[in-house]
Amino acid sequence: MRVPQKTVALASAGLVALALSACGSEKSAAPDAGQPAEEQAAEIATVSTMTDLAEQMQAAQEKASSAHMEMTYSGELAESAGMTDSATTADVVFGSTFEDTAMQMTMAVMGMDMDMVMVDGTIYLSMGEMTQGKYLSMTAEDMAADPALAGTMDSMESMDAAAQAEAMADAVTSFEHTGSETVDGVETEVYTATIDPSKVTEGTAGIDPSTAGQLGEIVTVYKVDPEGLPVEVDVTMEVDGQEMVVESAFSKWGEPVDVKAPADDDVIPYSEFSQN
């Protein structure tokens, strides 16, 4: 069985984009339980830096622990890639590392339907007929050893929102609270961050420094509810002059999510695939 290496890398990169926009949580300090509720609410109301926003979402997600997410794509680049009529959906259990984060995701890329499961430090990827109805399994070791996937692994290991914010501090050229907006009946605070890709360091936000020159500035808009949970995260970027907009919507915070690995008979190790 021959599966194009670029296809596998693209699918894995989709998981990275999802994880980053979901702001996967590492343990962080919650508001002081000894403070009055009014003071805690005031602290959650607005923030002034990307790092503060990341910490706010981390604390909220740690409490919620799980969510449902839907991603849609628009812009010239999405249209040329055949992604404007597709959507990515996922159910996520947030963890502090790649190994203890769990996710069930379906996505359509360039006309190909994919099913991706991430559990217990392994990614299982089904690409329909291309994988003959089976799941290709990739461990952290597989991804670290493969040049096409090594960068993806680096990004997965830094899914934590605060770590991402800290790593991107030198790349954020502006960050501001840009008002309030009601989203699906939820009152949210809106924050807009502008990022200069040329200033990112290796492995930051899934951006490869060697290709950062192909990107224009990246604008990310966060819409956060009163508890500090993201309701929408919209990312706009340009690649070789073509715009790509990725809109992510979050819901069902704290609802039960059960992610299971495929049956052994339905799994083929990544190492057994011949690459183009």
Side-chain angles (χ1 to χ4, degrees), residues 119-175:
V119 64
D120 296 332
T122 300
I123 291 175
Y124 302 90
L125 175 64
S126 173
M127 295 183 284
E129 293 181 0
M130 182 169 286
T131 53
Q132 299 179 4
K134 302 288 187 179
Y135 285 83
L136 180 157
S137 66
M138 294 176 283
T139 65
E141 291 75 15
D142 290 331
M143 287 184 284
D146 190 311
L149 301 176
T152 298
M153 188 61 221
D154 289 340
S155 297
M156 287 181 179
E157 290 176 342
S158 57
M159 288 189 295
D160 167 73
Q164 282 293 324
E166 181 179 357
M168 293 184 63
D170 292 337
V172 175
T173 58
S174 69
F175 179 90

CSV table of all heavy atoms in Angstrom, one decimal, residues 119-175:
chain,number,residue,atom,x,y,z
A,119,VAL,N,-5.2,9.3,21.0
A,119,VAL,CA,-5.4,8.8,22.3
A,119,VAL,C,-4.2,8.0,22.8
A,119,VAL,O,-3.5,7.4,22.0
A,119,VAL,CB,-6.7,7.8,22.4
A,119,VAL,CG1,-6.5,6.6,21.5
A,119,VAL,CG2,-7.1,7.5,23.8
A,120,ASP,N,-3.9,8.2,24.1
A,120,ASP,CA,-2.7,7.5,24.7
A,120,ASP,C,-1.4,7.6,23.9
A,120,ASP,O,-0.6,6.7,23.7
A,120,ASP,CB,-3.0,6.0,24.8
A,120,ASP,CG,-4.2,5.7,25.7
A,120,ASP,OD1,-4.4,6.5,26.7
A,120,ASP,OD2,-4.9,4.7,25.5
A,121,GLY,N,-1.2,8.9,23.4
A,121,GLY,CA,0.1,9.2,22.7
A,121,GLY,C,0.2,8.6,21.3
A,121,GLY,O,1.3,8.6,20.8
A,122,THR,N,-0.9,8.2,20.7
A,122,THR,CA,-0.8,7.7,19.3
A,122,THR,C,-1.9,8.3,18.5
A,122,THR,O,-3.1,8.6,19.0
A,122,THR,CB,-1.1,6.1,19.3
A,122,THR,OG1,-0.1,5.5,20.1
A,122,THR,CG2,-1.0,5.6,17.9
A,123,ILE,N,-1.6,8.6,17.2
A,123,ILE,CA,-2.6,9.1,16.3
A,123,ILE,C,-3.0,8.0,15.4
A,123,ILE,O,-2.1,7.3,14.8
A,123,ILE,CB,-2.0,10.3,15.5
A,123,ILE,CG1,-1.8,11.5,16.3
A,123,ILE,CG2,-2.9,10.6,14.3
A,123,ILE,CD1,-1.1,12.7,15.6
A,124,TYR,N,-4.3,7.8,15.1
A,124,TYR,CA,-4.8,6.9,14.2
A,124,TYR,C,-5.5,7.6,13.1
A,124,TYR,O,-6.4,8.4,13.4
A,124,TYR,CB,-5.8,5.9,14.9
A,124,TYR,CG,-5.2,5.2,16.1
A,124,TYR,CD1,-5.2,5.7,17.3
A,124,TYR,CD2,-4.6,3.9,15.9
A,124,TYR,CE1,-4.7,5.0,18.4
A,124,TYR,CE2,-4.0,3.2,17.0
A,124,TYR,CZ,-4.1,3.8,18.2
A,124,TYR,OH,-3.5,3.1,19.3
A,125,LEU,N,-5.1,7.4,11.9
A,125,LEU,CA,-5.6,8.2,10.7
A,125,LEU,C,-6.1,7.3,9.7
A,125,LEU,O,-5.4,6.4,9.1
A,125,LEU,CB,-4.4,9.0,10.1
A,125,LEU,CG,-4.7,9.8,8.9
A,125,LEU,CD1,-5.8,10.9,9.2
A,125,LEU,CD2,-3.5,10.5,8.3
A,126,SER,N,-7.4,7.5,9.4
A,126,SER,CA,-8.1,6.7,8.3
A,126,SER,C,-8.3,7.7,7.1
A,126,SER,O,-8.9,8.8,7.3
A,126,SER,CB,-9.4,6.1,8.8
A,126,SER,OG,-10.1,5.5,7.7
A,127,MET,N,-8.0,7.3,5.9
A,127,MET,CA,-8.2,8.1,4.7
A,127,MET,C,-9.0,7.3,3.7
A,127,MET,O,-8.8,7.4,2.5
A,127,MET,CB,-6.9,8.6,4.2
A,127,MET,CG,-6.1,9.5,5.1
A,127,MET,SD,-4.6,10.2,4.4
A,127,MET,CE,-3.5,8.7,4.6
A,128,GLY,N,-10.0,6.6,4.2
A,128,GLY,CA,-10.9,5.9,3.3
A,128,GLY,C,-10.2,4.9,2.4
A,128,GLY,O,-9.5,4.0,2.9
A,129,GLU,N,-10.5,5.0,1.1
A,129,GLU,CA,-10.0,4.0,0.2
A,129,GLU,C,-8.4,4.0,0.2
A,129,GLU,O,-7.8,3.0,-0.1
A,129,GLU,CB,-10.5,4.2,-1.2
A,129,GLU,CG,-12.0,3.9,-1.3
A,129,GLU,CD,-12.5,4.1,-2.7
A,129,GLU,OE1,-11.7,4.5,-3.6
A,129,GLU,OE2,-13.8,4.0,-2.9
A,130,MET,N,-7.9,5.2,0.4
A,130,MET,CA,-6.4,5.3,0.3
A,130,MET,C,-5.7,4.4,1.4
A,130,MET,O,-4.6,3.9,1.1
A,130,MET,CB,-6.0,6.8,0.5
A,130,MET,CG,-4.5,7.0,0.4
A,130,MET,SD,-4.0,8.7,0.3
A,130,MET,CE,-4.5,9.1,-1.4
A,131,THR,N,-6.4,4.3,2.5
A,131,THR,CA,-5.8,3.4,3.5
A,131,THR,C,-6.7,2.1,3.6
A,131,THR,O,-6.6,1.4,4.7
A,131,THR,CB,-5.8,4.1,4.9
A,131,THR,OG1,-7.1,4.6,5.2
A,131,THR,CG2,-4.8,5.2,4.9
A,132,GLN,N,-7.4,1.8,2.6
A,132,GLN,CA,-8.2,0.6,2.5
A,132,GLN,C,-9.1,0.4,3.7
A,132,GLN,O,-9.3,-0.8,4.2
A,132,GLN,CB,-7.3,-0.6,2.3
A,132,GLN,CG,-6.5,-0.5,1.0
A,132,GLN,CD,-5.5,-1.7,0.8
A,132,GLN,OE1,-5.5,-2.7,1.6
A,132,GLN,NE2,-4.7,-1.6,-0.3
A,133,GLY,N,-9.7,1.5,4.2
A,133,GLY,CA,-10.6,1.4,5.3
A,133,GLY,C,-9.9,1.1,6.7
A,133,GLY,O,-10.6,1.0,7.7
A,134,LYS,N,-8.6,1.1,6.7
A,134,LYS,CA,-7.8,0.9,7.9
A,134,LYS,C,-7.4,2.2,8.5
A,134,LYS,O,-7.5,3.3,7.8
A,134,LYS,CB,-6.6,0.0,7.6
A,134,LYS,CG,-6.9,-1.4,7.0
A,134,LYS,CD,-7.6,-2.3,8.0
A,134,LYS,CE,-7.7,-3.7,7.4
A,134,LYS,NZ,-8.3,-4.6,8.4
A,135,TYR,N,-6.8,2.1,9.7
A,135,TYR,CA,-6.2,3.3,10.3
A,135,TYR,C,-4.7,3.2,10.4
A,135,TYR,O,-4.2,2.1,10.8
A,135,TYR,CB,-6.7,3.4,11.8
A,135,TYR,CG,-8.1,3.9,11.9
A,135,TYR,CD1,-9.2,3.0,11.8
A,135,TYR,CD2,-8.4,5.3,12.2
A,135,TYR,CE1,-10.5,3.5,11.9
A,135,TYR,CE2,-9.7,5.7,12.3
A,135,TYR,CZ,-10.7,4.8,12.2
A,135,TYR,OH,-12.0,5.3,12.3
A,136,LEU,N,-4.0,4.2,9.9
A,136,LEU,CA,-2.6,4.3,10.0
A,136,LEU,C,-2.3,4.8,11.4
A,136,LEU,O,-2.8,5.8,11.8
A,136,LEU,CB,-2.1,5.2,8.9
A,136,LEU,CG,-0.6,5.5,8.7
A,136,LEU,CD1,-0.4,5.9,7.3
A,136,LEU,CD2,-0.1,6.5,9.7
A,137,SER,N,-1.4,4.1,12.1
A,137,SER,CA,-1.1,4.5,13.5
A,137,SER,C,0.3,5.2,13.5
A,137,SER,O,1.2,4.7,12.9
A,137,SER,CB,-1.1,3.4,14.4
A,137,SER,OG,-0.1,2.4,14.2
A,138,MET,N,0.4,6.3,14.2
A,138,MET,CA,1.7,7.0,14.3
A,138,MET,C,1.9,7.3,15.8
A,138,MET,O,1.1,8.0,16.4
A,138,MET,CB,1.6,8.3,13.5
A,138,MET,CG,1.5,8.1,12.0
A,138,MET,SD,1.3,9.7,11.1
A,138,MET,CE,-0.4,10.1,11.4
A,139,THR,N,3.0,6.9,16.3
A,139,THR,CA,3.4,7.2,17.7
A,139,THR,C,4.2,8.5,17.7
A,139,THR,O,4.7,8.9,16.6
A,139,THR,CB,4.1,6.1,18.4
A,139,THR,OG1,5.4,5.9,17.7
A,139,THR,CG2,3.4,4.7,18.3
A,140,ALA,N,4.5,9.0,18.9
A,140,ALA,CA,5.4,10.1,19.0
A,140,ALA,C,6.8,9.8,18.4
A,140,ALA,O,7.4,10.6,17.8
A,140,ALA,CB,5.5,10.5,20.5
A,141,GLU,N,7.2,8.6,18.6
A,141,GLU,CA,8.5,8.1,18.1
A,141,GLU,C,8.5,8.1,16.6
A,141,GLU,O,9.5,8.5,15.9
A,141,GLU,CB,8.9,6.8,18.7
A,141,GLU,CG,9.2,6.7,20.1
A,141,GLU,CD,8.0,6.8,21.0
A,141,GLU,OE1,6.8,6.6,20.5
A,141,GLU,OE2,8.1,7.1,22.2
A,142,ASP,N,7.4,7.6,16.0
A,142,ASP,CA,7.3,7.6,14.5
A,142,ASP,C,7.4,9.0,14.0
A,142,ASP,O,8.1,9.3,13.0
A,142,ASP,CB,6.0,7.0,14.1
A,142,ASP,CG,5.8,5.5,14.4
A,142,ASP,OD1,6.9,4.8,14.4
A,142,ASP,OD2,4.7,5.1,14.6
A,143,MET,N,6.7,10.0,14.6
A,143,MET,CA,6.7,11.3,14.1
A,143,MET,C,8.0,12.0,14.3
A,143,MET,O,8.5,12.8,13.4
A,143,MET,CB,5.6,12.1,14.7
A,143,MET,CG,4.2,11.7,14.2
A,143,MET,SD,2.8,12.7,14.8
A,143,MET,CE,2.7,12.0,16.5
A,144,ALA,N,8.7,11.7,15.4
A,144,ALA,CA,10.0,12.3,15.7
A,144,ALA,C,11.0,11.8,14.7
A,144,ALA,O,12.0,12.5,14.3
A,144,ALA,CB,10.4,12.1,17.1
A,145,ALA,N,10.9,10.6,14.2
A,145,ALA,CA,11.9,10.0,13.4
A,145,ALA,C,11.7,10.3,11.9
A,145,ALA,O,12.6,10.1,11.1
A,145,ALA,CB,11.9,8.4,13.6
A,146,ASP,N,10.5,10.7,11.5
A,146,ASP,CA,10.2,11.0,10.1
A,146,ASP,C,10.4,12.5,9.8
A,146,ASP,O,9.7,13.3,10.5
A,146,ASP,CB,8.8,10.6,9.8
A,146,ASP,CG,8.5,10.6,8.3
A,146,ASP,OD1,8.9,11.6,7.6
A,146,ASP,OD2,8.0,9.6,7.8
A,147,PRO,N,11.3,12.9,8.9
A,147,PRO,CA,11.5,14.3,8.6
A,147,PRO,C,10.2,15.0,8.3
A,147,PRO,O,10.1,16.2,8.6
A,147,PRO,CB,12.5,14.3,7.5
A,147,PRO,CG,13.2,13.0,7.6
A,147,PRO,CD,12.2,12.0,8.2
A,148,ALA,N,9.3,14.3,7.6
A,148,ALA,CA,8.1,15.0,7.1
A,148,ALA,C,7.1,15.3,8.3
A,148,ALA,O,6.2,16.1,8.2
A,148,ALA,CB,7.4,14.1,6.1
A,149,LEU,N,7.3,14.6,9.4
A,149,LEU,CA,6.4,14.7,10.5
A,149,LEU,C,7.0,15.3,11.8
A,149,LEU,O,6.3,15.6,12.7
A,149,LEU,CB,5.8,13.3,10.9
A,149,LEU,CG,5.0,12.6,9.8
A,149,LEU,CD1,4.5,11.3,10.2
A,149,LEU,CD2,3.8,13.5,9.3
A,150,ALA,N,8.3,15.4,11.8
A,150,ALA,CA,9.1,15.8,13.0
A,150,ALA,C,8.6,17.2,13.4
A,150,ALA,O,8.4,17.4,14.6
A,150,ALA,CB,10.6,15.8,12.7
A,151,GLY,N,8.4,18.1,12.5
A,151,GLY,CA,8.0,19.5,12.9
A,151,GLY,C,6.6,19.4,13.4
A,151,GLY,O,6.2,20.2,14.3
A,152,THR,N,5.7,18.5,12.9
A,152,THR,CA,4.4,18.4,13.4
A,152,THR,C,4.4,17.9,14.9
A,152,THR,O,3.7,18.4,15.7
A,152,THR,CB,3.6,17.3,12.6
A,152,THR,OG1,3.5,17.8,11.2
A,152,THR,CG2,2.2,17.1,13.1
A,153,MET,N,5.3,17.0,15.2
A,153,MET,CA,5.5,16.5,16.5
A,153,MET,C,5.9,17.7,17.5
A,153,MET,O,5.4,17.8,18.6
A,153,MET,CB,6.5,15.4,16.6
A,153,MET,CG,6.5,14.7,17.9
A,153,MET,SD,5.0,14.0,18.4
A,153,MET,CE,4.9,14.4,20.1
A,154,ASP,N,6.8,18.5,17.0
A,154,ASP,CA,7.3,19.6,17.8
A,154,ASP,C,6.1,20.5,18.2
A,154,ASP,O,6.0,21.0,19.3
A,154,ASP,CB,8.3,20.4,17.1
A,154,ASP,CG,9.7,19.7,17.0
A,154,ASP,OD1,9.9,18.8,17.7
A,154,ASP,OD2,10.5,20.1,16.1
A,155,SER,N,5.2,20.8,17.2
A,155,SER,CA,4.1,21.6,17.5
A,155,SER,C,3.1,21.0,18.4
A,155,SER,O,2.5,21.6,19.3
A,155,SER,CB,3.4,21.9,16.2
A,155,SER,OG,4.2,22.7,15.3
A,156,MET,N,2.9,19.7,18.3
A,156,MET,CA,2.0,19.0,19.2
A,156,MET,C,2.5,19.0,20.6
A,156,MET,O,1.7,19.1,21.6
A,156,MET,CB,1.8,17.5,18.8
A,156,MET,CG,1.0,17.3,17.5
A,156,MET,SD,0.9,15.6,17.0
A,156,MET,CE,-0.2,15.7,15.6
A,157,GLU,N,3.8,19.0,20.8
A,157,GLU,CA,4.3,19.0,22.2
A,157,GLU,C,4.2,20.3,22.8
A,157,GLU,O,4.4,20.5,24.0
A,157,GLU,CB,5.8,18.5,22.1
A,157,GLU,CG,6.0,17.0,21.8
A,157,GLU,CD,7.4,16.6,21.7
A,157,GLU,OE1,8.2,17.5,21.5
A,157,GLU,OE2,7.7,15.4,21.7
A,158,SER,N,3.9,21.3,22.0
A,158,SER,CA,3.7,22.7,22.6
A,158,SER,C,2.3,23.2,22.4
A,158,SER,O,2.1,24.4,22.1
A,158,SER,CB,4.7,23.6,22.0
A,158,SER,OG,4.6,23.7,20.6
A,159,MET,N,1.3,22.3,22.6
A,159,MET,CA,-0.1,22.7,22.4
A,159,MET,C,-0.6,23.6,23.5
A,159,MET,O,-1.5,24.3,23.4
A,159,MET,CB,-1.0,21.5,22.4
A,159,MET,CG,-0.9,20.7,21.1
A,159,MET,SD,-2.1,19.4,21.0
A,159,MET,CE,-1.7,18.3,22.3
A,160,ASP,N,0.1,23.6,24.7
A,160,ASP,CA,-0.3,24.4,25.8
A,160,ASP,C,-0.4,25.9,25.5
A,160,ASP,O,0.6,26.4,24.9
A,160,ASP,CB,0.7,24.2,27.0
A,160,ASP,CG,0.5,25.2,28.1
A,160,ASP,OD1,-0.4,25.1,28.8
A,160,ASP,OD2,1.4,26.1,28.1
A,161,ALA,N,-1.5,26.5,25.8
A,161,ALA,CA,-1.7,27.9,25.4
A,161,ALA,C,-0.8,28.8,26.0
A,161,ALA,O,-0.3,29.7,25.3
A,161,ALA,CB,-3.2,28.3,25.8
A,162,ALA,N,-0.4,28.7,27.3
A,162,ALA,CA,0.5,29.6,27.9
A,162,ALA,C,1.9,29.5,27.3
A,162,ALA,O,2.6,30.5,27.1
A,162,ALA,CB,0.5,29.4,29.4
A,163,ALA,N,2.3,28.2,27.1
A,163,ALA,CA,3.6,28.0,26.4
A,163,ALA,C,3.6,28.6,25.0
A,163,ALA,O,4.6,29.2,24.6
A,163,ALA,CB,3.9,26.5,26.4
A,164,GLN,N,2.5,28.5,24.3
A,164,GLN,CA,2.5,29.1,23.0
A,164,GLN,C,2.6,30.6,23.1
A,164,GLN,O,3.3,31.3,22.3
A,164,GLN,CB,1.2,28.7,22.3
A,164,GLN,CG,1.2,27.3,21.7
A,164,GLN,CD,2.1,27.2,20.5
A,164,GLN,OE1,2.3,28.1,19.8
A,164,GLN,NE2,2.8,26.0,20.4
A,165,ALA,N,1.8,31.2,24.0
A,165,ALA,CA,1.8,32.6,24.2
A,165,ALA,C,3.2,33.1,24.5
A,165,ALA,O,3.7,34.1,24.0
A,165,ALA,CB,0.8,33.1,25.2
A,166,GLU,N,3.9,32.4,25.5
A,166,GLU,CA,5.2,32.8,25.9
A,166,GLU,C,6.2,32.7,24.7
A,166,GLU,O,7.0,33.6,24.4
A,166,GLU,CB,5.7,31.9,27.0
A,166,GLU,CG,7.1,32.3,27.5
A,166,GLU,CD,7.5,31.4,28.6
A,166,GLU,OE1,6.7,30.5,29.1
A,166,GLU,OE2,8.7,31.5,29.1
A,167,ALA,N,6.1,31.6,23.9
A,167,ALA,CA,6.9,31.4,22.8
A,167,ALA,C,6.7,32.4,21.7
A,167,ALA,O,7.6,32.8,20.9
A,167,ALA,CB,6.7,30.0,22.2
A,168,MET,N,5.5,32.9,21.6
A,168,MET,CA,5.1,33.9,20.5
A,168,MET,C,5.2,35.3,21.0
A,168,MET,O,4.9,36.3,20.2
A,168,MET,CB,3.7,33.6,20.0
A,168,MET,CG,3.6,32.3,19.3
A,168,MET,SD,1.9,32.1,18.6
A,168,MET,CE,1.9,33.4,17.4
A,169,ALA,N,5.7,35.6,22.2
A,169,ALA,CA,5.7,36.9,22.7
A,169,ALA,C,6.5,37.9,21.8
A,169,ALA,O,6.0,39.0,21.6
A,169,ALA,CB,6.4,36.9,24.1
A,170,ASP,N,7.6,37.5,21.2
A,170,ASP,CA,8.3,38.3,20.4
A,170,ASP,C,7.7,38.5,19.0
A,170,ASP,O,8.1,39.4,18.2
A,170,ASP,CB,9.8,37.8,20.2
A,170,ASP,CG,10.6,37.9,21.5
A,170,ASP,OD1,10.2,38.8,22.4
A,170,ASP,OD2,11.5,37.2,21.7
A,171,ALA,N,6.8,37.6,18.7
A,171,ALA,CA,6.1,37.6,17.3
A,171,ALA,C,4.8,38.4,17.3
A,171,ALA,O,4.3,38.7,16.3
A,171,ALA,CB,5.9,36.2,16.8
A,172,VAL,N,4.2,38.6,18.5
A,172,VAL,CA,3.0,39.4,18.6
A,172,VAL,C,3.3,40.9,18.5
A,172,VAL,O,3.9,41.5,19.3
A,172,VAL,CB,2.3,39.1,19.9
A,172,VAL,CG1,1.0,39.9,20.1
A,172,VAL,CG2,1.9,37.6,20.0
A,173,THR,N,2.8,41.5,17.4
A,173,THR,CA,3.1,42.9,17.2
A,173,THR,C,2.0,43.8,17.8
A,173,THR,O,2.2,45.0,18.0
A,173,THR,CB,3.2,43.2,15.7
A,173,THR,OG1,2.0,42.8,15.0
A,173,THR,CG2,4.4,42.4,15.1
A,174,SER,N,0.8,43.2,18.0
A,174,SER,CA,-0.2,44.0,18.7
A,174,SER,C,-1.3,43.0,19.3
A,174,SER,O,-1.5,41.9,18.8
A,174,SER,CB,-1.0,45.0,17.7
A,174,SER,OG,-1.8,44.2,16.8
A,175,PHE,N,-1.8,43.5,20.5
A,175,PHE,CA,-2.8,42.7,21.1
A,175,PHE,C,-3.8,43.7,21.8
A,175,PHE,O,-3.3,44.6,22.6
A,175,PHE,CB,-2.2,41.8,22.2
A,175,PHE,CG,-3.2,40.9,22.9
A,175,PHE,CD1,-3.6,39.7,22.5
A,175,PHE,CD2,-3.8,41.4,24.1
A,175,PHE,CE1,-4.6,39.0,23.2
A,175,PHE,CE2,-4.7,40.7,24.8
A,175,PHE,CZ,-5.1,39.5,24.3
